[in-house]
Amino acid sequence: MADPLRLERFLIRVSGRDAIAFLNNLLTQDLAPLTAAGVLYAALLSPQGKVTADMLVWADGPDVVLETDPVRGGDLLRRLSMYKLRAAVEVKHAEDYAVIWAREPFAGASPDPRAAALGWRKIVSRAEAADLADGANAFEAARLAFGAPDLARDAGPEEVFALEALLEELNGVAFQKGCFIGQENVSRMKRRATTRKKFCALAFEGAPPAFGATLTAGNAEVGAVRGGGDGRALGLIRLDRALEALEGGAALEAEGRAIRLDPQPWLILPQREAPPPGGRD
């Protein structure tokens, strides 16, 4: 079995008697099962329902540790500190801790709550992780193969709504738990099935198109390429338009190259209107 690898992550410790209740009022996930589960996936949204930062939420005794990308960590720490008001909590950067990861189970590790295909990880002291190899490339390959977006890099701050960011598919939102920041918009989009733009895996030959390259289907612009590697990338795509164009015989392209839409079986595709009897006018 391969040794665990080090992942560069930003850790925030939330402690105090109100820690769970405080976070439960803010985050998309229901934290009631956290102690039993060990780790859950969640996000902090804007009041409009767009993703500010996604994170893994760890139980650590009476405390909670939030694991997020360093790109979003400082802003998340600032926002949580702003929201705490009179709650009996302390929010601080857990600088002495680190995250280690492997594709397969290892001692003390937990499976990624988004999907088992994203590997196993564990929070350790920074000293324990110091001599381990960097696992960024290995994790990147695993997430691209699975089709999970990196919301710190594949999307700008508050660019995508929660369901566009695949929080539903990746076990990151609890629709029945009650209020959280942005909950009204998330519930409305779920209820009305209006999520037409989503991240979706793309396949192609060779190196990926440039980040942000326009995706077209025939003459229609249907989205943009986001992060990727050889043969595979993520796109942020109007899936209803792309699927309709492809069904009509159009070719999907970016930078003049053939691209294949490669939605994973678990991706919730947008509902399509049935054509009226006799076809469309």
Side-chain angles (χ1 to χ4, degrees):
M1 183 180 298
D3 290 333
L5 303 169
R6 183 186 72 254
L7 294 180
E8 292 302 321
R9 305 290 283 166
F10 190 100
L11 300 175
I12 298 171
R13 180 173 295 278
V14 182
S15 56
R17 70 171 185 269
D18 293 341
I20 292 286
F22 166 68
L23 291 170
N24 213 39
N25 287 332
L26 301 178
L27 303 182
T28 56
Q29 186 58 267
D30 182 3
L31 301 188
L34 179 61
T35 300
V39 58
L40 298 168
Y41 180 51
L44 178 67
L45 307 182
S46 71
Q48 294 74 35
K50 293 189 174 184
V51 177
T52 296
D54 69 330
M55 68 205 75
L56 297 186
V57 183
W58 294 84
D60 186 22
D63 297 350
V64 179
V65 175
L66 307 179
E67 175 202 333
T68 192
D69 192 281
V71 170
R72 301 287 171 85
D75 183 63
L76 177 60
L77 179 62
R78 179 187 65 80
R79 288 173 185 267
L80 292 175
S81 299
M82 177 183 69
Y83 281 129
K84 74 176 187 179
L85 299 175
R86 296 179 181 176
V89 296
E90 182 181 14
V91 180
K92 63 181 181 179
H93 184 193
E95 298 180 79
D96 295 334
Y97 293 88
V99 174
I100 57 177
W101 173 90
R103 289 180 181 269
E104 302 296 334
F106 61 95
S110 297
D112 194 303
R114 292 168 289 186
L118 296 176
W120 294 64
R121 59 179 69 205
K122 179 182 178 182
I123 295 178
V124 299
S125 70
R126 185 161 291 277
E128 186 177 342
D131 295 331
L132 299 181
D134 182 12
N137 290 339
F139 179 75
E140 181 76 352
R143 77 153 188 103
L144 287 174
F146 180 68
D150 178 342
L151 296 180
R153 291 169 171 79
D154 291 333
E158 299 184 19
E159 180 186 5
V160 292
F161 288 103
L163 302 190
E164 295 175 346
L166 310 189
L167 289 189
E168 181 176 7
E169 289 92 336
L170 298 177
N171 306 310
V173 58
F175 293 102
Q176 305 303 321
K177 81 158 190 170
C179 291
F180 55 85
I181 295 174
Q183 182 263 344
E184 183 178 351
N185 209 330
V186 174
S187 296
R188 183 185 303 115
M189 292 179 74
K190 170 67 173 174
R191 185 173 64 252
R192 298 181 180 177
T194 55
T195 310
R196 299 183 178 91
K197 181 173 69 174
K198 283 191 173 188
F199 285 103
C200 181
L202 304 170
F204 42 83
E205 297 296 325
F211 187 99
T214 298
L215 281 164
T216 59
N219 294 323
E221 181 178 327
V222 296
V225 177
R226 297 301 169 102
D230 286 350
R232 197 162 179 84
L234 270 291
L236 185 56
I237 305 170
R238 271 295 298 259
L239 286 171
D240 57 335
R241 295 176 182 171
L243 292 169
E244 184 175 4
L246 293 174
E247 288 171 3
L252 189 65
E253 294 185 344
E255 298 179 337
R257 298 168 51 194
I259 306 290
R260 181 167 59 87
L261 200 64
D262 192 25
Q264 297 286 52
W266 48 262
L267 185 67
I268 301 171
L269 297 174
Q271 293 184 6
R272 312 280 296 284
E273 291 185 9
R280 297 187 184 275
D281 294 334

